[in-house]
Amino acid sequence: MPKAIKGVLVECDPSIKAIILKIDQDKHDYIVEDLDDQTLVIKENQLSSLKARLEEELANTQTMPDFSGSD
């Protein structure tokens, strides 16, 4: 018998989607369905965990500008 999984529709920029796909590629814990270049269905019970992982990834990839005044 088929098993249903509750999901949440997530729309995001393709760059954010690429990060989500990278996070999910090892264990496949988050994504139920990859619909198009900006839309995913994420497991409802994993949404908060994915948000935390995404924020962590974004913090690691973003660099702060240097305002020290030295050229």
Side-chain angles (χ1 to χ4, degrees), residues 10 28 34 38 42 45 52-53 55 58:
V10 175
H28 305 289
D34 182 353
Q38 295 183 333
I42 304 295
N45 61 347
R53 293 271 315 264
E55 287 177 7
L58 289 172

Side-chain angles (χ1 to χ4, degrees), residues 10-65:
V10 175
E11 294 182 74
C12 56
D13 292 330
S15 59
I16 299 298
K17 182 183 171 199
I19 296 170
I20 293 172
L21 290 171
K22 180 183 162 214
I23 292 170
D24 188 65
Q25 74 183 0
D26 293 331
K27 296 182 182 175
H28 305 289
D29 286 339
Y30 302 104
I31 298 174
V32 174
E33 191 71 34
D34 182 353
L35 299 177
D36 61 32
D37 62 334
Q38 295 183 333
T39 313
L40 296 162
V41 178
I42 304 295
K43 292 177 185 174
E44 184 180 48
N45 61 347
Q46 294 289 339
L47 186 60
S48 60
S49 173
L50 178 61
K51 283 182 181 180
R53 293 271 315 264
L54 183 59
E55 287 177 7
E56 186 178 299
E57 282 289 324
L58 289 172
N60 290 337
T61 59
Q62 293 176 345
T63 58
M64 298 303 291

